[in-house]
Amino acid sequence: MSESPQATPQAQNKPQKAESASRGVGRVMKYMAVRLVTLFITVVIGVYLTILIANMGGYVDQIRRGEIQEAAQQRVLTDQALKNLPPEARTKRLEEIIKLEEKRYGLDKPFVVRSMGYLSDAVTLSLGRSQNISSDSGSRQVRLILLERLPATVLLFGTADLLLFFVSLFIGLALSRRYGSFWDKFIVTLSPLSAAPGWFFGIFLIAFFSAYLRILPFGGMVAVPPPDNRLDYFISLLYHMILPVLAITVSSIFISAYGNRTFFLIYSSEDYVEMAKAKGLKSQDVERRYVLRPTLPTIITGFAFTLIGLWTGAPIFETVFNWPGLGRVIFQAVGLYDTPVIVASVVLFAYLLAITVFLLDFIYALVDPRVKIGGEGKSA
Amino acid sequence: MKSLLRFFNDLKQYPSAIASMVIILILLGISVYTLVTIPYAEAVRLWRGGEDVWYQLPKTVPPAWVNSFSATKLPDTIILNTATDPSLKTGEEPSGDGKRINMEFTFDFPYDEFPQEMSLYLKAKYDEKAPFVSLTWFKPDGSKISLGNFSMQGATQNFRFSQDPKLKNRFGEVQPQEALLAVKGSDPLQVEKGQYKLQVQAITFEKESEINVEFIEYGKVYGIAGTDHMRRNLMVALLWGMPVALSFGLIAALGTSIASMIIAAFGAWFGGWIDELIQRVTEINSVLPFLPILIMVGTFYSRSIFTILAVTILLSIFGLSIKNYRAIFLQVREMPYIEAARAYGASNSRIILNYLVPRIIPLLVPGLVTGIPSYVFLEASLSVLGLGDPVLPTWGKIIQDAEFNGALYQGMYYWVMEPAILLMITGLAFSMLGFALDRIFNPRLRGM
């Protein structure tokens, strides 16, 4: 019944001398390839689940049927030969075309067979045309609509997360140096504040900076109308990013700084750190080589999970800040009941999450020597 | 019992924990009070009621206590109704077949700003010939203004000062409800403070004919919480939001942590394919975007709070915590007391539920309490996105209404801030308690 808990690390079984750099790179590449395939399979299963959820009420079928109907009507309207038919014959012909097309798309087949078709469509994001929403360039293609919004989302949350990462790292380091000081206690006391999500702080920030002081915009990504000049555009973008980035930072900074500081404290009480100090190394070197290094994997995991949290919260956050990203598209699609867009954006979010996990694995492989040397890929 | 006492002694060392527990108790008390005084059906009726329920309240006004913080006093709402207060009918004399009824609405107006609106609601009982009404306005200095006279157009009639064409005509640019209360010739208009009187003289033409008049001066503040764009008293939703938020947070956090703990225990105990399956499901769950899927379910299926709650729990079970629990169970599994249990022939389920699971409850509690705020905010997020329960009044819904009506842009801060601050208090209370519990149960963190 009980097997040995966790196989002992293989690295211990076959002691290896320092490997050549190329072999290390090779291992990392192999590891990443395996991760990539696993993650892709995971995403495919996730997307299939999404389709199941969406289709439980027959919604994906509705998308298809709607599309077929539209196409058939277009055909009947434009076909000269059909135009001259009497109305009844024309309706009959229309129904025939629709039936034929439905058969062609396999709408008469059982759901399991059909769902495979949807799966491949969803994975490639070719979910056809939206019902109401159109992209800024006027297209109704769901893929274009979403891909147009993607950069805005990535820009906002990527910037905020990077900023958060570095700021909380430095604050964490600074606090661990001054353990027990006023600022240390201050941050620890404030850490429960992070229970509230970014959009929530956003409301307070908008109320203060935009509504009361009137010095920052209420929302949006650039001024209306957008500036022609590149530099002006960039400045306007920065100006509009202040509040959202600030909101995200405020909502997570205390807990991240607190977490980092606690890790640093735990690691700086290790014997080898004392040893390094005793050797007379500069405190900066001690921090960098002996404290920061072993905590890095944990901190990077925290960074990735924050990013995942941000992606997931995008619909509400972007709605509050009127930020024209992916999340806001979902909100608009809900309002207009635009099924293809909703399903497709859920799929795209799944991709974003998977890419983040992949990036996490990649950085992990770089900083965690176990991946480079040992073969135990799973524990990452 | 002893351990419980020790626990409370530990807790006493954390003032933040005591404070947060007091706050939580107060919130629970208010919730119970709300559920008793405003039952579910009543809350739904009030919140979904339109003008017929809320006609007496002014539109989008801040709470009355803002007056204590500002030098200019905003007017309160004054309601005078002859149906409930017969002393307003000052005289009655027969005239022809009917009566001549004199009604006087006297009120003090000591405020610095003009009312939002003034209205008369007339209700008459007659068979064929409707009563005739004439209105006269008396200012504090004694001057009087005739507001007009008319035959009633039906059994009920509303006379809105700001909408009356004759009054609008007479005062031109200035709103009638402002002109009537202003110091003569002041520019900009200034309120003439003092006692005002509106005289309503009605003549009925039938023996059984009756008339009742309600005069409402709509102020610019209302009650403890203010009102929204549909004249609804925000207090209803603020009160009702509390039990909704608390129960959603508690049930979701409790359901999620207990379910994931038990699943993790089964996985760690049986190992093999069960463990493998749980791990794979967790991995798949990690790429499922939580909020977008909830949005999808809310749009396609149902926005009922129970559906959303069920989906929330389902999607959260296989989250991060299951990995932590698994790691701990793998350690606990190897402990001697488990071996002893196995030696005396305890069944699998007995070992899991009686020996493994209780072992990590101390770890579960802080996580559970810290998890509550995230679910409280999740419910609010969904409401703000317009996917809240269709009938229940909640905090998130107030924020959504406010955002939709540009409350912040127009400076109606109270509308957003009241639910937001309540959310903040609730979230902070649980999260502070969770942090303190974490230190009590995990002595490793205690010094930090």
Side-chain angles (χ1 to χ4, degrees):
Chain A
M1 167 136 325
S2 84
E3 357 156 11
S4 68
Q6 303 268 307
T8 44
Q10 285 166 17
Q12 284 175 8
N13 295 347
K14 33 175 181 176
Q16 287 161 321
K17 297 249 162 104
E19 286 171 300
S20 68
S22 68
R23 269 189 72 189
V25 170
R27 270 188 193 286
V28 171
M29 294 297 280
K30 198 178 143 204
Y31 167 74
M32 288 324 294
V34 172
R35 280 305 288 159
L36 195 61
V37 173
T38 337
L39 266 175
F40 185 71
I41 295 170
T42 317
V43 168
V44 170
I45 298 174
V47 171
Y48 191 67
L49 284 178
T50 310
I51 288 171
L52 281 187
I53 298 172
N55 214 325
M56 224 77 91
Y59 286 100
V60 178
D61 288 347
Q62 254 178 34
I63 306 179
R64 261 293 154 65
R65 289 225 165 84
E67 245 173 66
I68 291 170
Q69 213 146 15
E70 203 179 325
Q73 266 160 0
Q74 282 291 329
R75 233 174 89 186
V76 172
L77 279 177
T78 46
D79 196 326
Q80 282 302 325
L82 290 173
K83 236 180 187 173
N84 300 329
L85 284 176
E88 282 142 43
R90 208 158 49 172
T91 340
K92 213 176 148 206
R93 180 81 191 110
L94 180 68
E95 272 166 19
E96 272 172 22
I97 294 176
I98 291 175
K99 221 173 194 173
L100 212 69
E101 284 288 297
E102 283 188 353
K103 198 171 175 186
R104 195 165 75 87
Y105 277 109
L107 280 174
D108 53 343
K109 293 210 187 75
F111 178 71
V112 184
V113 182
R114 259 187 292 143
S115 62
M116 288 301 149
Y118 296 148
L119 181 60
S120 66
D121 281 357
V123 169
T124 53
L125 280 180
S126 43
L127 275 155
R129 295 155 65 80
S130 76
Q131 285 157 350
N132 294 304
I133 296 176
S134 53
S135 73
D136 291 344
S137 52
S139 169
R140 277 286 183 86
Q141 288 289 322
V142 172
R143 196 192 329 204
L144 281 182
I145 296 175
L146 293 185
L147 291 183
E148 201 181 72
R149 302 297 190 101
L150 189 59
T153 299
V154 173
L155 173 74
L156 176 61
F157 295 118
T159 316
D161 198 31
L162 273 178
L163 185 76
L164 191 61
F165 175 69
F166 287 111
V167 172
S168 65
L169 201 65
F170 286 121
I171 295 184
L173 267 180
L175 291 184
S176 76
R177 259 180 248 142
R178 295 179 193 79
Y179 168 58
S181 69
F182 166 76
W183 287 109
D184 185 39
K185 283 185 184 138
F186 182 71
I187 297 278
V188 174
T189 316
L190 283 187
S191 56
L193 269 181
S194 298
W199 67 265
F200 186 75
F201 288 102
I203 287 181
F204 284 99
L205 291 177
I206 293 176
F208 187 67
F209 288 104
S210 311
Y212 185 68
L213 294 181
R214 304 255 162 190
I215 49 171
L216 286 169
F218 276 87
M221 197 163 97
V222 285
V224 182
D228 300 324
N229 184 324
R230 277 220 171 161
L231 184 71
D232 287 346
Y233 189 92
F234 182 68
I235 290 171
S236 168
L237 181 65
L238 279 186
Y239 181 59
H240 282 77
M241 269 174 75
I242 297 175
L243 273 192
V245 170
L246 192 64
I248 292 172
T249 314
V250 170
S251 85
S252 310
I253 190 78
F254 300 113
I255 191 85
S256 317
Y258 170 62
N260 288 346
R261 149 207 179 271
T262 310
F263 271 114
F264 294 143
L265 279 178
I266 291 174
Y267 277 89
S268 48
S269 58
E270 294 278 346
D271 291 341
Y272 58 81
V273 179
E274 297 294 327
M275 172 73 180
K277 276 187 202 154
K279 274 200 294 190
L281 287 182
K282 267 190 275 171
S283 68
Q284 270 185 340
D285 287 345
V286 175
E287 255 170 23
R288 220 178 37 235
R289 283 193 224 152
Y290 298 97
V291 180
L292 210 51
R293 193 68 205 265
T295 48
L296 218 46
T298 330
I299 289 172
I300 288 170
T301 316
F303 166 71
F305 278 117
T306 314
L307 193 55
I308 287 175
L310 291 180
W311 294 141
T312 332
I316 172 82
F317 190 85
E318 290 181 356
T319 304
V320 167
F321 278 102
N322 212 353
W323 189 265
L326 260 188
R328 180 141 175 79
V329 144
I330 289 204
F331 176 70
Q332 287 170 323
V334 167
L336 296 166
Y337 222 82
D338 205 319
T339 324
V341 179
I342 298 178
V343 175
S345 39
V346 173
V347 173
L348 197 53
F349 268 112
Y351 272 122
L352 272 180
L353 294 189
I355 292 170
T356 314
V357 174
F358 181 74
L359 270 181
L360 168 69
D361 284 341
F362 183 67
I363 301 173
Y364 226 105
L366 293 184
V367 297
D368 192 343
R370 276 174 300 181
V371 180
K372 240 183 268 179
I373 300 165
E376 43 156 12
K378 262 190 186 168
S379 71
Chain B
M1 193 61 214
K2 230 181 194 171
S3 63
L4 206 66
L5 265 177
R6 209 177 58 213
F7 167 71
F8 276 108
N9 268 330
D10 278 346
L11 205 59
K12 256 193 265 170
Q13 294 172 8
Y14 296 93
S16 66
I18 302 294
S20 52
M21 270 168 92
V22 171
I23 295 173
I24 292 169
L25 281 179
I26 293 174
L27 293 177
L28 283 175
I30 296 175
S31 302
V32 172
Y33 168 81
T34 308
L35 292 178
V36 172
T37 50
I38 316 173
Y40 175 77
E42 176 70 4
V44 172
R45 184 188 75 84
L46 285 176
W47 198 244
R48 291 169 71 78
E51 287 278 313
D52 48 331
V53 181
W54 297 111
Y55 76 97
Q56 290 181 321
L57 271 52
K59 243 184 209 180
T60 53
V61 295
W65 45 262
V66 295
N67 270 341
S68 351
F69 298 102
S70 103
T72 48
K73 301 293 172 222
L74 298 171
D76 212 344
T77 297
I78 297 165
I79 302 170
L80 298 167
N81 191 349
T82 57
T84 51
D85 183 5
S87 68
L88 294 170
K89 289 190 178 172
T90 49
E92 214 177 278
E93 54 191 59
S95 120
D97 281 342
K99 288 171 284 191
R100 174 189 290 270
I101 306 165
N102 189 45
M103 289 167 271
E104 282 178 0
F105 302 93
T106 318
F107 62 95
D108 274 320
F109 199 84
Y111 309 106
D112 298 316
E113 280 204 30
F114 294 103
Q116 193 178 60
E117 163 71 300
M118 290 194 285
S119 280
L120 280 175
Y121 295 86
L122 305 111
K123 270 198 188 102
K125 205 173 76 182
Y126 64 95
D127 285 328
E128 274 169 17
K129 199 146 193 291
F132 183 82
V133 182
S134 56
L135 314 170
T136 323
W137 184 258
F138 293 87
K139 293 182 88 169
D141 59 10
S143 62
K144 68 180 189 181
I145 303 166
S146 164
L147 298 180
N149 33 49
F150 52 89
S151 250
M152 278 183 71
Q153 302 295 316
T156 61
Q157 189 169 345
N158 302 346
F159 179 86
R160 291 189 188 285
F161 285 47
S162 68
Q163 303 295 321
D164 187 65
K166 276 184 206 148
L167 283 181
K168 273 163 91 171
N169 218 358
R170 178 182 320 168
F171 296 115
E173 299 277 291
V174 186
Q175 289 277 332
Q177 74 271 22
E178 299 188 351
L180 286 173
L181 290 162
V183 175
K184 217 174 224 166
S186 58
D187 188 36
L189 284 186
Q190 264 184 338
V191 177
E192 187 172 348
K193 296 176 189 179
Q195 199 177 53
Y196 286 85
K197 190 168 82 180
L198 171 67
Q199 189 187 43
V200 180
Q201 277 183 320
I203 302 167
T204 60
F205 302 100
E206 293 163 8
K207 219 170 187 171
E208 296 295 310
S209 188
E210 277 295 339
I211 184 163
N212 273 308
V213 179
E214 183 174 18
F215 167 74
I216 301 177
E217 174 267 316
Y218 293 97
K220 281 182 173 162
V221 291
Y222 182 81
I224 307 175
T227 63
D228 69 3
H229 62 303
M230 291 167 76
R231 300 181 188 277
R232 295 180 294 197
N233 184 355
L234 284 179
M235 204 60 197
V236 176
L238 289 179
L239 280 176
W240 249 87
M242 206 169 284
V244 174
L246 287 184
S247 50
F248 190 92
L250 277 171
I251 296 174
L254 208 65
T256 308
S257 17
I258 290 181
S260 55
M261 180 179 67
I262 290 177
I263 291 173
F266 271 87
W269 181 247
F270 288 110
W273 67 269
I274 297 182
D275 192 31
E276 193 63 24
L277 180 74
I278 293 172
Q279 297 232 64
R280 290 293 88 78
V281 172
T282 313
E283 208 150 288
I284 292 168
N285 194 58
S286 73
V287 298
L288 287 183
F290 184 58
L291 193 58
I293 286 201
L294 270 183
I295 290 173
M296 199 168 80
V297 170
T299 323
F300 291 163
Y301 294 91
S302 143
R303 295 176 183 196
S304 137
I305 198 154
F306 298 105
T307 315
I308 297 293
L309 187 61
V311 178
T312 303
I313 294 178
L314 265 181
L315 286 173
S316 321
I317 287 177
F318 293 95
L320 269 181
S321 54
I322 209 164
K323 277 190 175 171
N324 296 335
Y325 292 146
R326 177 176 171 274
I328 300 161
F329 278 128
L330 283 176
Q331 278 176 14
V332 177
R333 196 180 67 172
E334 304 302 320
M335 288 190 164
Y337 80 98
I338 298 289
E339 210 170 317
R342 207 186 297 168
Y344 84 69
S347 69
N348 283 330
S349 58
R350 185 181 171 83
I351 292 179
I352 292 173
L353 297 177
N354 287 13
Y355 301 133
L356 277 181
V357 168
R359 180 84 190 183
I360 70 160
I361 281 182
L363 278 168
L364 175 93
V365 175
L368 195 157
V369 177
T370 326
I372 292 174
S374 58
Y375 295 107
V376 171
F377 280 108
L378 175 74
E379 193 272 325
S381 309
L382 287 172
S383 295
V384 173
L385 283 172
L387 289 165
D389 192 276
V391 290
L392 278 177
T394 64
W395 293 338
K397 266 196 189 155
I398 305 181
I399 299 181
Q400 188 217 355
D401 281 341
E403 287 264 298
F404 193 76
N405 290 288
L408 287 181
Y409 193 74
Q410 294 172 37
M412 298 184 276
Y413 302 110
Y414 73 96
W415 199 353
V416 179
M417 287 305 141
E418 284 168 6
I421 286 169
L422 281 175
L423 270 170
M424 193 80 228
I425 291 174
T426 313
L428 259 183
F430 281 105
S431 135
M432 262 156 55
L433 183 65
F435 270 65
L437 288 177
D438 203 20
R439 287 170 184 214
I440 294 169
F441 286 122
N442 298 325
R444 205 166 46 92
L445 290 171
R446 206 170 273 186
M448 311 227 161

